Structure formats: C-alpha cells, structure tokens
Amino acid sequence: MNDSVTPLSRLSLNQETIKQWSLPELADGCVKAGIGQVGLWRAPVQGYGVGRTARLLSDAGLTVTSLCRGGFLTALDPADRAAALDDNRRAIDEAAALSTDTLVLVSGGLPPGSRDLYGARERVGDALAELAPYAAGRGVRLAIEPLHPMFASDRCVVSTLAQALDLAERFPAEQVGVVVDTYHVWWDDRAPAQIARAGAAGRIHSFQLADWITPLPAGVLLGRGQLGDGTVDFRALRTEVEAAGFDGPIEVEIFNETLWARDGSEVLAEVAERYLQHAC
C-alpha cells in the first residue's frame, strides 16, 4: 500500500458518488469518515453558491481535488462556440474560487448532422488554445478526460488517452493534461503505454476510479459500478499510474442510481472499504 499517513489519505470522494447528499451533508460525512478530499460538480456548487461552497469546505478542512466539468467545445455555429468558451471561462473562475487546480473537461460529441470526428477534435484543440492561457492565469489546469467510445457521438469525441494526449501536448504540461478514469480506459490495451507517456510529461492531472459492470443499464451514463463489482483491475491501473510518477489524490466517481437510493453514510463506508480492498 503506497498511501502515506493513513490508508485513506489519498482517497477523494467525488460528490456524484453520493449525489443524494447536499453539500453540507457531504462535508459532514467526509469529516466523520476521515476523508479529507472531495471532487465537485458545477451544478450543485452553483445551486449552493460558489463562495458559500468554498467557505463550507474550507471550514471543514476539506480539499477540493477537481471541479467537473468544462468542455463541450465541438460546436460548429460561431454563436454556440462563443457561448461554450464563455461557459468554460466561468468554470475556470469557479475552480479558482474553490481553490482547486484542476478543471475536468469533457470535450463534447458530434454536432447534429456531423460525422466528422477529426474536425470535432480539432475544434477542441482550437478552444484549448483560447482557454489554456486564461486558466493558467488563474492557477487552474485543464484536464482532458477521454470517455469510452460508446460516448463519442453525443458526449465526447476524445475516446482514448492517446487522443487526449495528442491534444494536450500542444500546450505546456502545467496548462493542459489528462484524466485517467478507470471506467473509460480499462479496456484499451494501449492504455499502459499512454499512461507512461502522460506521466513522463507530467500530464496526469487526475486519477478516477469506477468499475465496469454488465449488463449496462438503459442510457448507459449511469452504469458505473461500485469498486469490485465489475471487471476493472484497479490495483494494476494504480500501479501503472504511480509508476508513471503520479502521487496525487485518487477520486472515486460513480454514477449509479442504486447507490443514490441508499443511505449516504453506508455508501461512503462501502466506498472506503472497497477502495482499501481493491485499489490499495
């Protein structure tokens, strides 16, 4: 086990894992469980108030490891593109206000009627050229998250770590890197080499855990599994990520309606137990 101080010291709870909790419940639950880090999502933060959220978590002694999400940068229409860039600048400002250095980007899917994956990825690169300097000026890194190819049409045209790194490497590593999310990369036999590639350049900006379970539910988006319930080899992926030089927080991010229907404290205890059992 590589965790320093305590076995849970690197564990970060992404708030979507226990979506049924309010932000005060999240803060209180993590403090009681001895978990000192959280990953946040923009919609609930905006609903509670960005400044209010920052004060709540600071008073609780919690560190924000990432904010999700920026992105959706593939629009063809100039007005839609401008609106997306403005929204991403707001996301960067929110990340800075929350004292996190990492904004996760989900690139966006194909525009309606388009079949041009290459062109869509290039528009992501064009947008990064505008956003990366803005983010750097506010102490925020942009972390491109490749999603499983099943999401390429409607959610993310960046499907592999190789594609994400091809975009990220156009910019300084301290400005743009990648997310290694086990749910999205576990199947890719090129992932170990790409993790090493990312680590050598200091571009692993976030490491997230969720399991792959089958059959997938209708809609697939909410099909992430509790650690240990599926087919992902978390220990192997963690070993690869750490061999590449990553020693940062490890975020558990699970979208699953079954977990959301349960008592949040029970879910958190189970997350911690499964993390220790399968990822350490």
Side-chain angles (χ1 to χ4, degrees):
M1 187 181 298
N2 295 323
D3 287 341
S4 59
V5 186
T6 72
L8 295 178
S9 63
R10 290 178 62 191
L11 174 61
S12 173
L13 178 70
N14 188 285
Q15 73 177 123
E16 283 292 287
T17 303
I18 310 181
K19 188 175 183 177
Q20 63 270 40
W21 269 355
S22 66
L23 275 159
E25 288 171 330
L26 176 74
D28 183 61
C30 285
V31 169
K32 288 179 177 176
I35 294 171
Q37 304 178 101
V38 294
L40 299 180
W41 277 69
R42 292 182 68 197
V45 168
Q46 290 169 348
Y48 190 74
V50 176
R52 193 178 174 205
T53 300
R55 290 190 296 273
L56 171 73
L57 299 181
S58 176
D59 289 347
L62 296 173
T63 298
V64 181
T65 55
S66 72
L67 179 65
C68 196
R69 59 175 166 64
F72 284 75
L73 300 166
T74 57
L76 287 164
D77 179 78
D80 290 342
R81 170 185 167 81
L85 290 170
D86 285 344
D87 183 61
N88 276 268
R89 293 185 189 98
R90 286 191 294 271
I92 291 164
D93 292 341
E94 291 164 9
L98 294 164
S99 299
T100 180
D101 64 359
T102 303
L103 176 66
V104 175
L105 299 183
V106 176
S107 298
L110 287 171
S114 174
R115 295 178 174 83
D116 183 7
L117 282 167
Y118 176 81
R121 291 189 195 114
E122 283 303 301
R123 288 192 295 280
V124 174
D126 292 343
L128 289 171
E130 298 193 41
L131 294 172
Y134 184 88
R138 285 147 184 82
V140 176
R141 310 177 300 181
L142 304 179
I144 304 169
E145 181 172 12
L147 302 194
H148 189 281
M150 66 182 173
F151 295 112
S153 64
D154 65 341
R155 194 164 295 271
C156 189
V157 296
V158 178
S159 301
T160 65
L161 280 170
Q163 292 168 358
L165 285 165
D166 286 346
L167 289 167
E169 287 171 351
R170 302 178 187 183
F171 309 95
E174 65 271 17
Q175 292 185 10
V176 184
V178 299
V179 179
V180 178
D181 186 322
T182 61
Y183 180 77
H184 294 299
V185 307
W186 73 275
W187 59 275
D188 186 355
D189 60 1
R190 297 176 299 168
Q194 299 306 314
I195 288 170
R197 172 186 171 190
R203 292 187 187 272
I204 302 177
H205 290 177
S206 180
F207 181 39
Q208 297 181 334
L209 309 183
D211 216 337
W212 182 276
I213 54 175
T214 49
L216 293 172
V220 305
L221 184 62
L222 306 184
R224 293 176 176 229
Q226 175 64 279
L227 310 187
D229 284 352
T231 56
V232 175
D233 188 340
F234 295 105
R235 192 168 289 111
L237 283 162
R238 176 172 175 168
T239 298
E240 291 165 3
V241 166
E242 291 181 341
F246 180 81
D247 60 0
I250 301 173
E251 240 181 72
V252 175
E253 183 190 57
I254 304 171
F255 313 149
N256 188 296
E257 290 180 318
T258 300
L259 294 185
W260 297 341
R262 292 172 52 193
D263 176 79
S265 296
E266 291 180 2
V267 174
L268 181 53
E270 184 178 272
V271 165
E273 178 186 1
R274 297 292 188 92
Y275 170 81
L276 295 172
Q277 181 179 358
H278 296 286
C280 290

